Amino acid sequence: MHLSENEGIEGNVFVVTGGAGFVGAALCLELIGRGAREVRSLDLRVSSPCSLLFKAAGVISIQGDVSLKKDVEKALRGANCVFHLASYGMSGKEMLQVGRVDEVNICGTCNVLDACHEFGVRRLVYVSTYNVVFGGKEIVNGNEALPYFPLDDHVDSYGRTKSVAEQLVLKSNGRPSKYVSIPSLEGHTPFCGAQHDAWQSQSRAVVNLRLTR
């Protein structure tokens, strides 16, 4: 079946958790550019380098914490599709805050799933990490059939919690919604990059998973 570039996007309402981050911001702007009726960014940050671009484009910024159910419900009510990018503990001092890593990556994902079920959001795209299958050994010609790296063998909380969260998302697929998980788009940059070719291309790849049926 051939899909037009904007099919499943035009006229629909989208929520991007972690929308003030670099990839999340590029994704929000890409959705607006493809004709989304409304795009909401849910993020802890009050402002970001993309705040002015969001305002100009019409992206709705909602300050909130995915680990708080009420914040997630506020953002997801009335949405048609959710892109769940929010996470914590990938690098730096965040890695040492094990409790907070669990709150955001596991409890936050549970809150997103619960809100999707409660409000009838039929489409969820979860951004995961290669760490769910990678344990230090080279992977050749890997695909979705690779087994998960054992939870007890993860060297940090980030990989462990992202693995738990991904499995929760995939187990919820088909109830009666379509939920998918994709590998991470991990990286850092000091500026907002809707114009940055590499990251813009990756945001387009995520948008193309809009799951029209």
Side-chain angles (χ1 to χ4, degrees):
M1 179 180 65
H2 175 72
L3 300 178
S4 67
E5 185 179 62
N6 299 329
E7 188 170 351
I9 298 175
E10 292 178 328
N12 284 318
V13 177
F14 294 85
V15 175
V16 180
T17 71
F22 187 73
V23 178
L27 177 56
C28 287
L29 296 171
E30 182 73 17
L31 288 166
I32 287 288
R34 292 211 194 177
R37 175 162 62 90
E38 181 175 294
V39 177
R40 307 168 190 166
S41 164
L42 174 63
D43 202 288
L44 274 175
R45 284 165 284 194
V46 179
S47 62
S48 75
C50 283
S51 295
L52 293 178
L53 286 174
F54 275 10
K55 186 175 182 179
V59 176
I60 299 172
S61 295
I62 301 174
Q63 184 181 12
D65 185 340
V66 293
S67 69
L68 298 178
K69 187 175 182 178
K70 64 179 180 62
D71 289 353
V72 175
E73 291 177 344
K74 176 182 177 181
L76 268 61
R77 189 184 302 271
N80 301 111
C81 178
V82 176
F83 290 92
H84 183 28
L85 278 69
S87 66
Y88 192 85
M90 185 179 74
S91 62
K93 294 181 180 179
E94 291 182 359
M95 298 176 67
L96 304 177
Q97 300 178 43
V98 177
R100 181 60 177 162
V101 175
D102 282 2
E103 284 180 356
V104 174
N105 297 347
I106 298 178
C107 296
T109 299
C110 287
N111 288 337
V112 169
L113 288 170
D114 288 345
C116 283
H117 295 317
E118 181 177 353
F119 300 133
V121 182
R122 295 175 60 91
R123 304 291 183 263
L124 169 64
V125 178
Y126 173 72
V127 176
S128 188
T129 172
Y130 62 84
N131 290 329
V132 303
V133 296
F134 179 70
K137 295 182 180 180
E138 182 180 10
I139 296 175
V140 179
N141 297 325
N143 58 31
E144 292 85 352
L146 283 171
Y148 284 102
F149 189 68
L151 291 178
D152 291 340
D153 292 341
H154 280 281
V155 296
D156 58 65
S157 295
Y158 181 77
R160 175 184 58 81
T161 55
K162 292 290 284 185
S163 182
V164 171
E166 177 179 310
Q167 293 176 66
L168 288 171
V169 169
L170 296 180
K171 285 179 180 178
S172 295
N173 182 34
R175 299 176 44 195
S177 308
K178 288 188 177 180
Y179 299 162
V180 299
S181 175
I182 62 173
S184 65
L185 306 176
E186 293 166 351
H188 298 278
T189 184
F191 60 94
C192 177
Q195 297 82 21
H196 188 286
D197 291 342
W199 286 95
Q200 189 176 41
S201 295
Q202 289 184 322
S203 72
R204 287 172 178 162
V206 176
V207 170
N208 287 335
L209 290 169
R210 66 257 190 202
L211 302 174
T212 58
R213 296 181 66 85

